Amino acid sequence: MSLDRSDVERIAHLARLAMNENEAPEYTESLNSILTLIDQLQATSTDGVEPLAHPMDAVQRLRADEVSELNQRDALQACAPAVENGLFLVPKVIE
Amino acid sequence: MFNLTLSELSNALSRGEFSSLELTQAFLDRIKRLDTQYNSFITLSEEHALQQAKAADTLRATGQATALTGLPIAHKDLFCTQGIRTSCGSKMLDNFISPYNATLVERLNLAGMVTLGKTNMDEFAMGSSNESSYYGPVKNPWDLDRVPGGSSGGSAAAVAARLVPAATGSDTGGSIRQPAALCGITGLKPTYGRISRYGMVAYASSFDQAGPMTRTAEDAALLLQVMAGEDPLDSTCATQAVPNFSASLNDSLLGLRIGLPKEYFAEGTDPVILERVREAIAEFEKLGATVKEISLPKTQLSIPAYYILAPAEASSNLSRFDGVRYGHRCDSPKDLEDLYKRTRAEGFGAEVKRRIMVGTYALSEGFYDAYYRKAQQIRRMIQQDFIQALSEVDVIMAPVTPCSAFRLGEKNSDPVSMYMEDIFTLSLNLAGLPGMSIPCGFADNLPVGLQIIGNYFDEAKLLNVAHQYQQVTNWHQQSPANLSEG
Amino acid sequence: MEWEVVIGLEIHAQLATNTKIFSGASTAFGAEPNTQACAVDLALPGTLPVFNENALRMAVMFGLAVNSEIGKRSVFDRKNYFYPDLPKGYQTTQLAEPIVGPGYVDIETDDGDTRRVRIHHAHLEEDAGKSLHEDFHGMSGIDLNRAGTPLVEIVSEPDMRSSKEAAAYARKIHAIITTLGICDGNMAEGSMRCDCNVSIRPKGQATLGTRTELKNINSFRFIERAINTEVARQIDLIEDGGRVIQETRLYDPDKNETRSMRSKEEANDYRYFPCPDLLPVIIDDAYIDAIRAELPELPDARRARFIEQYGLSDYDAGVLSSDRAQADYFETVAELTKNAKLSANWITGELARLLNQADMTVKQSPVSADQLAGLINRIQDNTITGKIAKNVFELLWNEGGSADEIIAAKGLKQVNDTGAIEAAIDQVIAQCTTQVEQYIAAEPDKRGKMLGFFMGQVMKLTQGKANPGQVQGVLKQKLDQRC
């Protein structure tokens, strides 16, 4: 499986990464070399093997439904790039 | 005092040889004087450290000190520290000051430890050489032209250069063990889930595990004791009881069964490294251990499986860096898409972007089964190999890396050759097992690490084995010859 | 051509927990922006989710109420996409292993039949925040208070064949979740949201037509209107030789039209995978049985019981059982008055009328069940007439107190004194000579109807206080004597 430039551009778009003219060929090349590496998996038969999602053989813990987090808006917004009236500002959202 | 270990410094503090404030000031001065050549720190938290040191001295004066009270430590810059920048080695978080402490930082603070600063690292912990940091590469104290390993390269170099007696690290594919090996220090990656991940900026959630980086196994035991244990804030943190790690350090190794996986001693590894590892194993035989060859047949598959699963998780984990709530934001975005794309393109470095793209691709429609699901199946097979092997032996021993510290820039242009660095370490992260790296000699004047792998939640055994070796050898006491002061 | 409409619904119900599904921040509605968004909700670096036990319990309650198989193992997945109201860049949801498996509910159609609507599954997920579009110098403002509020998404099979059935299904789900107390069911505030998948096909065709998904429907009435509008659009489109495109369409209730949501048109690739920050949720039979044992009586069972126990009509029983508070209210009144039919009439009549006018629910009613029962009892013992009772009810609503206090204070007690009633009747007969003559002249079987006029006059004269039964008897007697 080998990616061409349009594949790489589609992936970059899905990942919301801008890519300029010079970068596209570089990323195409390095992604292809990584794909060659990971394609080694295909040679191994995994029929009937249960996928392992997590190394922890444990079950989800449950949290009591009690309010533990009080308003800390000022502290939490101290690093925000753009805030007004307690709202995070972003370019206009069009629905 | 710079050559003393944590436990030696602890004793000196309790004997009153110096105060924590004096100790802290001395280390801070030393960092300011020497770190220009290593670049192992991103942020020095001087004021904060001096306050903590004063508080520690007060605790000691009132008889409330623990073994760690007043001792300096540095945190890898992916552990959130309230009021101190947490950058993850990335431009993305260059301006990020966490409003909260990571659980392990909180625990070490409560034990009275003094945070000197935040150590350099590969950006978002993605790398094996520390060259992907936005803050520049770290230099290996044993040879300034060489890499310290990564991603916890700053922590490893700082401990090796005696800029701090201990540091925290994180290990997703070898990021504690490999730099520990390349810098000649002791590094422990505990069992997955042993230490809370809350407040550790995620790279790959089902792989990431924090651990101590120290000069000795004895010190690692002291730190692990405080770092380990259940955390209600982390669903994936283990509820297993935490034993007293120091108590079993001196247990006899008589009858210890060591397995040597033949795949880890095959061609492709520097023969000098294999020789050092074999010499170390001979020491263990002298201590009463028995050795047998074992097989971990899926070893070669650990790299492709890892480089599907870890980037897949990363691609999702790093989606939160979007320029909306914190972190870097591009100038005057013209619309939402522009905000996302330029913010992320500017904020992330090349290796991070590569892994995000690989992960995005592996999860995308039509490829999930061929890549992600297949890799999860291989992950199960690798885990089964280890479970089988560890039913026959107590610990597995192997090299940590196929070669010693390489030159800066040597593997930088070829990501795949960099990935091969982790061939001996990342299968443990796939399986979730604990592993340790301890110094076992030199190859061409560069440190060599011995890897000790144990069963789930059997860190006490690893620490015991490592400590016994450090009682009969002095590799861990060697320091780089170029250190200008002792 | 005759078209068949095919509808499936996706209903999102916000669970009435105290805290978020994965954090300890409050879920209370209406707080200042971002004051209920903690570090986890903001997706600060290093933060991790921990699952709310109450969200799990409520989802299981729902599953049991809709006859579903409960997932003893359920798994959270990540649905990846970028949007400013989605702080992590993924929504934590359940795809392959949801908490609630296949089930069904029965709805009553207009012709009195029941139709079974199958539920494909229901899963737990987190709500997103809100984008506010007031103009902030050309920017949008993001409020993440709602981010992380637990939702159960209930996905039906495409089993509905008309907009009425769709609304009836939505009402049934509403009745179930409010009866269970797991959701407040407030569609205007978005606690319950309904997306409708609508397609049409020639009657008799087995394969489904291309569907569109209608969003932004915030009342039962709009469910019907939005579907009718969309069905008409699809029929016009196809009959004009066009094709329906699979897309998301926004319903505009002001214009009563649906329009394409261009921002969602782009083909999405959500890259689902199991969330590595959460472990499988495992529950056992004991857990499920304990919840089953505590389930309240469900709307269908209560409706059947209302018909059986109280002799209510299908209609009254259906209305009263659709809301737990209303059903409880009814049962309290019926208990205190021993007259279920009259109680039902008052609740579905006067009470419902005033509640509607005031845009209130039964829970907010200023007239309690005790107060209403007190009023009904005075009707039953002939203390007041039904007409006066309506006035007393309005006074109860506006001024409070008890029916007895109001009756005494305002002198509304019914007149049962035969002498007084006869006097009033005599006066009316004396005054209305023309009508009396007409009465006498009429055919005997027409006279009954004409009695109403004299009744009205007598009631007017007695200010509505005369016992209507008595008036009728005496009036008829006196008039007939003249014939």
Side-chain angles (χ1 to χ4, degrees):
Chain A
M1 183 75 213
S2 149
L3 301 177
D4 62 24
R5 182 170 165 156
S6 69
D7 295 326
V8 173
E9 281 169 354
R10 183 181 58 83
I11 297 164
H13 171 68
L14 268 179
R16 296 297 185 274
L17 292 167
M19 206 166 25
N20 64 33
E21 283 298 303
N22 306 331
E23 288 171 318
E26 271 175 49
Y27 279 114
T28 307
E29 191 191 328
S30 61
L31 289 193
N32 274 322
S33 72
I34 296 167
L35 281 187
T36 306
L37 173 78
I38 65 187
D39 269 336
Q40 289 170 18
L41 282 190
Q42 307 305 342
T44 303
S45 165
T46 53
D47 291 350
V49 178
E50 179 68 15
L52 180 67
H54 212 276
M56 277 263 280
D57 183 22
V59 304
Q60 178 58 37
R61 73 164 68 223
L62 300 175
R63 178 176 59 76
D65 185 22
E66 288 157 10
V67 175
S68 57
E69 299 295 325
L70 300 175
N71 177 21
Q72 285 195 66
R73 188 173 77 182
D74 291 346
L76 295 175
Q77 291 188 335
C79 282
V83 165
E84 196 171 305
N85 298 337
L87 296 162
F88 297 99
L89 295 191
V90 297
K92 201 126 196 87
V93 177
I94 303 152
E95 293 203 22
Chain B
M1 71 173 66
F2 305 116
N3 267 319
L4 299 181
T5 65
L6 278 183
S7 34
E8 287 161 353
L9 286 169
S10 179
N11 291 336
L13 279 175
S14 40
R15 283 193 304 267
E17 288 175 26
F18 40 75
S19 69
S20 174
L21 192 61
E22 288 163 335
L23 179 66
T24 300
Q25 192 64 64
F27 270 107
L28 286 169
D29 290 346
R30 182 173 165 85
I31 294 167
K32 283 189 269 184
R33 205 164 55 243
L34 299 180
D35 197 42
T36 45
Q37 50 184 328
Y38 310 120
N39 195 29
S40 64
F41 278 82
I42 291 175
T43 303
L44 211 56
S45 48
E46 185 161 8
E47 213 172 295
H48 186 263
L50 294 173
Q51 273 174 20
Q52 282 185 318
K54 277 182 211 159
D57 283 331
T58 308
L59 283 178
R60 192 167 292 282
T62 54
Q64 300 170 68
T66 72
L68 295 175
T69 302
L71 298 178
I73 192 166
H75 295 302
K76 185 175 181 178
D77 207 17
L78 51 51
F79 294 106
C80 284
T81 43
Q82 193 171 356
I84 306 169
R85 174 172 65 175
T86 299
S87 77
C88 269
S90 180
K91 179 179 177 183
M92 187 61 89
L93 291 178
D94 184 45
N95 60 2
F96 179 68
I97 296 172
S98 172
Y100 76 99
N101 275 328
T103 295
L104 80 77
V105 170
E106 193 72 25
R107 288 185 181 176
L108 293 168
N109 282 350
L110 273 174
M113 293 201 87
V114 175
T115 303
L116 298 186
K118 307 293 290 288
T119 56
N120 205 341
M121 57 183 281
D122 278 299
E123 185 180 6
F124 284 103
M126 298 179 190
S128 309
S129 68
N130 224 300
E131 291 166 294
S132 75
S133 170
Y134 174 63
Y135 301 92
V138 177
K139 314 287 173 59
N140 190 320
W142 294 90
D143 179 344
L144 297 178
D145 291 332
R146 290 176 187 269
V147 303
S151 65
S152 312
S155 289
V159 172
R162 275 57 173 165
L163 301 183
V164 65
T168 52
S170 71
D171 191 315
T172 306
S175 284
I176 287 176
R177 290 160 289 155
Q178 185 253 16
L182 268 46
C183 291
I185 66 161
T186 298
L188 169 64
K189 177 204 106 67
T191 309
Y192 180 89
R194 183 56 114 173
I195 297 174
S196 168
R197 292 188 298 117
Y198 192 78
M200 176 168 78
V201 182
Y203 158 21
S205 309
S206 76
F207 295 80
D208 295 343
Q209 180 55 216
M213 302 180 76
T214 54
R215 300 241 305 284
T216 65
E218 186 184 19
D219 284 0
L222 281 177
L223 287 179
L224 184 63
Q225 199 69 49
V226 175
M227 293 161 79
E230 194 174 349
D231 180 7
L233 300 177
D234 177 2
S235 300
T236 63
C237 187
T239 53
Q240 269 81 354
V242 178
N244 183 333
F245 296 112
S246 300
S248 50
L249 287 176
N250 287 312
D251 288 359
S252 162
L253 299 189
L254 194 63
L256 180 80
R257 296 170 302 166
I258 300 172
L260 304 180
K262 60 180 184 205
E263 294 80 5
Y264 286 58
F265 291 83
E267 239 171 88
T269 298
D270 180 350
V272 186
I273 287 182
L274 290 181
E275 201 180 315
R276 294 291 98 83
V277 169
R278 289 209 175 86
E279 285 163 9
I281 289 156
E283 285 295 333
F284 283 106
E285 288 180 299
K286 282 191 218 158
L287 292 169
T290 61
V291 173
K292 86 181 247 194
E293 187 183 88
I294 58 164
S295 176
L296 296 168
K298 299 288 182 296
T299 298
Q300 285 298 330
L301 292 176
S302 61
I303 290 189
Y306 176 89
Y307 278 99
I308 291 167
L309 296 173
E313 292 184 15
S315 70
S316 177
N317 284 335
L318 271 61
S319 291
R320 65 188 59 198
F321 302 104
D322 58 6
V324 175
R325 297 164 312 285
Y326 48 77
H328 177 71
R329 178 180 196 145
C330 67
D331 277 336
S332 23
K334 66 177 201 295
D335 56 26
L336 260 182
E337 187 167 314
D338 187 42
L339 167 74
Y340 289 143
K341 288 188 171 177
R342 275 200 294 131
T343 294
R344 292 165 60 78
E346 293 166 9
F348 293 137
E351 181 59 21
V352 172
K353 285 190 251 190
R354 262 198 292 274
R355 293 198 196 187
I356 288 175
M357 285 199 271
V358 168
T360 301
Y361 177 67
L363 290 174
S364 64
E365 216 171 318
F367 300 101
Y368 182 89
D369 283 349
Y371 287 115
Y372 192 80
R373 194 182 142 84
K374 180 99 180 173
Q376 283 190 324
Q377 291 173 313
I378 301 282
R379 189 175 192 180
R380 166 96 49 199
M381 293 162 91
I382 288 169
Q383 184 192 45
Q384 293 305 326
D385 279 359
F386 273 109
I387 290 173
Q388 169 61 31
L390 286 164
S391 69
E392 294 168 18
V393 297
D394 300 310
V395 292
I396 295 168
M397 290 191 187
V400 181
T401 58
C403 61
S404 48
F406 47 92
R407 289 184 189 281
L408 285 156
E410 189 180 324
K411 300 188 179 187
N412 220 359
S413 55
D414 178 7
V416 169
S417 77
M418 188 77 88
Y419 297 172
M420 302 306 287
E421 248 316 277
D422 298 328
I423 175 83
F424 298 142
T425 49
L426 41 76
S427 46
L428 266 69
N429 301 79
L430 285 160
L433 287 164
M436 208 169 166
S437 171
I438 56 172
C440 68
F442 292 86
D444 297 328
N445 299 316
L446 292 168
V448 173
L450 168 72
Q451 186 168 212
I452 312 169
I453 299 162
N455 218 327
Y456 293 103
F457 298 103
D458 207 3
E459 292 85 2
K461 175 66 75 187
L462 296 187
L463 289 162
N464 165 223
V465 168
H467 180 69
Q468 288 307 302
Y469 179 77
Q470 290 179 342
Q471 297 309 293
V472 295
T473 59
N474 64 2
W475 302 117
H476 61 290
Q477 290 166 344
Q478 309 296 312
S479 59
N482 60 1
L483 293 185
S484 49
E485 306 151 68
Chain C
M1 167 143 357
E2 206 182 340
W3 296 98
E4 182 176 50
V5 179
V6 178
I7 304 160
L9 261 53
E10 289 168 20
I11 293 176
H12 289 83
Q14 282 185 343
L15 296 176
T17 52
N18 298 318
T19 61
K20 306 276 176 85
I21 185 167
F22 298 122
S23 85
S26 169
T27 53
F29 184 79
E32 285 289 300
N34 291 310
T35 55
Q36 287 175 179
C38 70
V40 174
D41 305 326
L42 295 185
L44 250 58
T47 56
L48 295 170
V50 187
F51 184 34
N52 182 338
E53 65 173 1
N54 210 13
L56 172 64
R57 194 181 60 84
M58 289 180 175
V60 171
M61 285 172 80
F62 176 77
L64 293 173
V66 295
N67 315 293
S68 284
E69 184 82 5
I70 303 300
K72 288 187 183 162
R73 175 190 150 96
S74 57
V75 173
F76 286 105
D77 297 289
R78 292 183 181 178
K79 177 182 181 180
N80 293 284
Y81 65 97
F82 286 88
Y83 211 65
D85 64 12
L86 190 71
K88 294 188 292 292
Y90 55 84
Q91 181 192 32
T92 309
T93 179
Q94 298 183 318
L95 182 70
E97 297 177 80
I99 182 70
V100 173
Y104 63 87
V105 295
D106 290 329
I107 57 172
E108 293 75 39
T109 57
D110 275 356
D111 48 19
D113 287 345
T114 58
R115 177 187 274 284
R116 179 154 292 185
V117 177
R118 291 168 300 155
I119 287 169
H120 181 272
H121 77 276
H123 62 261
L124 280 161
E125 61 183 26
E126 56 187 341
D127 208 344
K130 281 182 181 165
S131 308
L132 304 177
H133 304 299
E134 296 102 83
D135 200 23
F136 296 95
H137 341 287
M139 313 274 273
S140 290
I142 305 296
D143 174 10
L144 297 172
N145 279 349
R146 197 178 70 176
T149 299
L151 293 175
V152 59
E153 179 175 341
I154 306 151
V155 181
S156 84
E157 296 284 1
D159 283 356
M160 288 151 277
R161 294 290 173 270
S162 70
S163 60
K164 280 200 163 164
E165 288 182 10
Y169 166 78
R171 283 200 176 88
K172 180 55 63 77
I173 295 293
H174 184 270
I176 291 170
I177 59 183
T178 54
T179 297
L180 293 171
I182 62 172
C183 176
D184 69 20
N186 188 329
M187 290 183 80
E189 282 178 9
S191 310
M192 175 171 151
R193 306 196 284 274
C194 193
D195 300 339
C196 305
N197 290 305
V198 179
S199 64
I200 58 169
R201 61 182 169 191
K203 200 142 197 141
Q205 178 182 304
T207 53
L208 293 169
T210 306
R211 63 163 205 256
T212 56
E213 184 180 3
L214 307 182
K215 284 191 181 291
N216 193 38
I217 300 173
N218 58 14
S219 78
F220 295 118
R221 196 157 47 96
F222 290 159
I223 291 176
E224 288 194 48
R225 288 176 56 184
I227 291 172
N228 290 339
T229 303
E230 175 61 12
V231 166
R233 187 191 72 87
Q234 290 188 9
I235 291 174
D236 283 353
L237 192 64
I238 295 175
E239 290 186 345
D240 287 350
R243 274 179 51 234
V244 175
I245 306 163
Q246 186 166 341
E247 62 179 351
T248 303
R249 298 182 69 84
L250 199 70
Y251 177 65
D252 181 338
D254 297 331
K255 296 182 183 157
N256 192 33
E257 63 179 29
T258 67
R259 62 185 150 80
S260 182
M261 288 177 79
R262 299 196 188 285
S263 62
K264 303 242 172 182
E265 251 175 43
E266 180 190 338
N268 269 310
D269 183 345
Y270 290 123
R271 289 158 285 134
Y272 284 97
F273 75 108
C275 178
D277 288 332
L278 291 160
L279 299 171
V281 179
I282 308 291
I283 52 178
D284 57 16
D285 285 327
Y287 179 88
I288 297 168
D289 290 343
I291 290 175
R292 195 193 311 272
E294 286 180 9
L295 284 185
E297 186 182 25
L298 291 165
D300 282 352
R302 206 164 192 185
R303 176 171 171 275
R305 182 167 63 79
F306 282 4
I307 294 169
E308 164 84 25
Q309 180 181 341
Y310 297 113
L312 296 188
S313 68
D314 270 12
Y315 179 80
D316 281 352
V319 170
L320 290 171
S321 61
S322 69
D323 178 277
R324 184 182 183 177
Q326 184 169 259
D328 289 345
Y329 190 103
F330 162 72
E331 292 213 76
T332 307
V333 178
E335 187 68 27
L336 292 169
T337 61
K338 309 291 177 211
N339 188 337
K341 184 63 197 159
L342 192 55
S343 302
N345 287 347
W346 273 87
I347 293 166
T348 57
E350 283 304 288
L351 178 66
R353 188 175 64 82
L354 293 187
L355 287 173
N356 257 336
Q357 265 175 22
D359 199 17
M360 287 179 175
T361 67
V362 167
K363 271 189 192 166
Q364 301 161 304
S365 169
V367 179
S368 70
D370 280 6
Q371 285 172 300
L372 178 57
L375 176 64
I376 292 173
N377 281 334
R378 294 294 80 79
I379 303 169
Q380 296 203 88
D381 64 12
N382 290 328
T383 305
I384 52 171
T385 62
K387 187 165 162 30
I388 293 287
K390 290 188 180 176
N391 299 337
V392 176
F393 185 74
E394 293 211 10
L395 289 166
L396 282 175
W397 179 282
N398 290 318
E399 293 164 24
S402 73
D404 286 341
E405 286 162 10
I406 292 170
I407 292 164
K410 309 261 171 184
L412 299 172
K413 204 162 157 43
Q414 178 165 281
V415 176
N416 296 319
D417 170 8
T418 317
I421 288 174
E422 282 191 20
I425 290 171
D426 289 343
Q427 194 182 335
V428 167
I429 290 174
Q431 280 168 357
C432 304
T433 45
T434 319
Q435 284 83 357
V436 172
E437 276 164 25
Q438 285 171 351
Y439 184 89
I440 295 166
E443 296 290 320
D445 61 327
K446 298 272 168 66
R447 287 177 183 156
K449 275 196 172 172
M450 300 174 75
L451 212 52
F453 166 77
F454 298 100
M455 281 287 294
Q457 293 302 309
V458 175
M459 294 312 279
K460 205 169 175 182
L461 195 62
T462 59
Q463 291 163 304
K465 290 184 280 187
N467 180 328
Q470 256 180 307
V471 173
Q472 187 164 16
V474 176
L475 193 59
K476 192 166 187 309
Q477 196 190 353
K478 289 201 179 239
L479 283 170
D480 288 352
Q481 277 170 3
R482 296 173 172 253
C483 298

